[in-house]
Amino acid sequence: MAIRAVTFDALHTLVTPRLPVYVQYAQTFEPYLGALDPAALKSAFKSALKQVQQEHPVYRGGAQEWWGDVIRRTAVGAGADPKAVDASLGEIVPRLLKRFSSREGYKLFDDSLETLRRLKELGIRTGMISNTDARMRAVIEDLDLIPQLDAVLLSEEEGVEKPSCEIFKRACERLGVKAHETVHVGDELDCDYQGAQACGLQALLIRRPGPEGDEERKEPGEDLTGVKVVPNLLQVVEWVRQQNAQRT
């Protein structure tokens, strides 16, 4: 069966932080908490994000409170005085939420728009499936991505997140295609690649070469044996072309 649709993850697939997240956190924290060690911030953010994702999946309790918890844990984990953090959190949280709601905090990868345009030229429908809160819609609108997408599913809005088959199913329904006619592209081995395959979609894992935090993202000890990997999004277009050529 020919490929009729391609769905994409958002963060680190189509969209990336304009500066590493921990750098943007450091810039926002400094007027209130002083300079914090970048390495400590980087580690604390990863730990805080993972903890809150596990404790409160799908932004349970609301995105502002959810991210406020991540931000507080990050600051304290990086060595900031807890009392100073609590005293300034009411100003820090809105500043960071606003920053990461637009092109101020995010940018597109150089190949994002070109890939979506080429897929459109091939008659392929495109969508986004992202485990993010509703602010991602404002981000991709500010980055002029909305007109290139036929469907956008964000986990906070849907109440379900990858790797649940429900969110992949909804995406296919909104795109008017079957699961086996769809390929999902993302950077997370479990949520994107394995999740999509388990739900009947085809899948490609993106691993952009380059400095960590800027391009390529890997999980410690990951095994990519047998995994279909692409180094950039334009390779997705070529993969779709090849797949469909074999079926003509």
Side-chain angles (χ1 to χ4, degrees), residues 2 5 11 56 61 81 89 113 128 149 155 166 191 196 219 223 226 230 232 240 242:
L11 195 55
H56 306 287
D81 176 38
L89 210 58
L113 282 175
M128 174 182 286
L149 297 165
S155 61
E166 180 60 30
C191 289
E219 293 298 324
D223 181 5
V230 291
N232 57 64
V240 170
Q242 291 173 11

Side-chain angles (χ1 to χ4, degrees), residues 79-150:
D81 176 38
K83 291 183 179 178
V85 173
D86 290 337
S88 54
L89 210 58
E91 293 187 40
I92 291 174
V93 172
R95 284 178 179 270
L96 279 172
L97 290 179
K98 181 176 181 295
R99 183 168 187 161
F100 287 102
S101 298
S102 70
R103 64 176 65 236
E104 180 186 0
Y106 292 108
K107 63 181 180 179
L108 295 176
F109 283 108
D110 291 342
D111 56 5
S112 296
L113 282 175
E114 181 64 19
T115 295
L116 293 171
R117 288 178 183 138
R118 291 191 188 186
L119 288 170
K120 292 286 187 184
E121 290 171 0
L122 294 174
I124 304 296
R125 297 181 67 76
T126 58
M128 174 182 286
I129 309 174
S130 178
N131 286 356
T132 52
D133 64 70
R135 288 175 303 135
M136 182 55 70
R137 192 176 293 276
V139 170
I140 61 176
E141 184 172 359
D142 197 29
L143 293 171
D144 300 321
L145 207 58
I146 290 282
Q148 303 298 327
L149 297 165
D150 297 302

Side-chain angles (χ1 to χ4, degrees), residues 1-2 238-248:
M1 184 67 69
E238 293 307 310
W239 184 89
V240 170
R241 277 198 181 114
Q242 291 173 11
Q243 292 297 306
N244 288 352
Q246 293 171 9
R247 291 168 170 79
T248 56

Side-chain angles (χ1 to χ4, degrees), residues 178-189:
K178 304 293 186 184
H180 63 268
E181 299 173 322
T182 308
V183 59
H184 179 70
V185 184
D187 71 303
E188 292 191 27
L189 185 59

Side-chain angles (χ1 to χ4, degrees), residues 9-25 27 45 49 67 99-109 136 139 143 187 208 211-215 217:
D9 176 41
L11 195 55
H12 308 301
T13 301
L14 289 169
V15 175
T16 191
R18 193 163 290 279
L19 292 171
V21 171
Y22 67 91
V23 172
Q24 298 193 60
Y25 270 49
Q27 291 173 342
F45 174 74
L49 185 63
W67 280 109
R99 183 168 187 161
F100 287 102
S101 298
S102 70
R103 64 176 65 236
E104 180 186 0
Y106 292 108
K107 63 181 180 179
L108 295 176
F109 283 108
M136 182 55 70
V139 170
L143 293 171
D187 71 303
R208 299 175 182 272
E212 190 264 340
D214 178 41
E215 299 283 345
R217 292 174 59 81

Side-chain angles (χ1 to χ4, degrees), residues 157-174:
E157 295 176 349
E158 299 295 328
V160 63
E161 62 187 12
K162 298 175 293 185
S164 169
C165 286
E166 180 60 30
I167 198 164
F168 289 110
K169 178 184 175 184
R170 291 181 193 178
C172 291
E173 288 175 348
R174 291 175 200 177

Side-chain angles (χ1 to χ4, degrees), residues 189 193-194 205 207 219-227 229:
L189 185 59
Y193 189 85
Q194 295 170 343
L205 184 73
R207 283 288 180 266
E219 293 298 324
E222 67 181 13
D223 181 5
L224 300 184
T225 303
V227 174
V229 179

Side-chain angles (χ1 to χ4, degrees), residues 22-44:
Y22 67 91
V23 172
Q24 298 193 60
Y25 270 49
Q27 291 173 342
T28 307
F29 286 159
E30 189 166 3
Y32 305 95
L33 307 174
L36 297 174
D37 177 62
L41 266 174
K42 182 178 180 181
S43 175

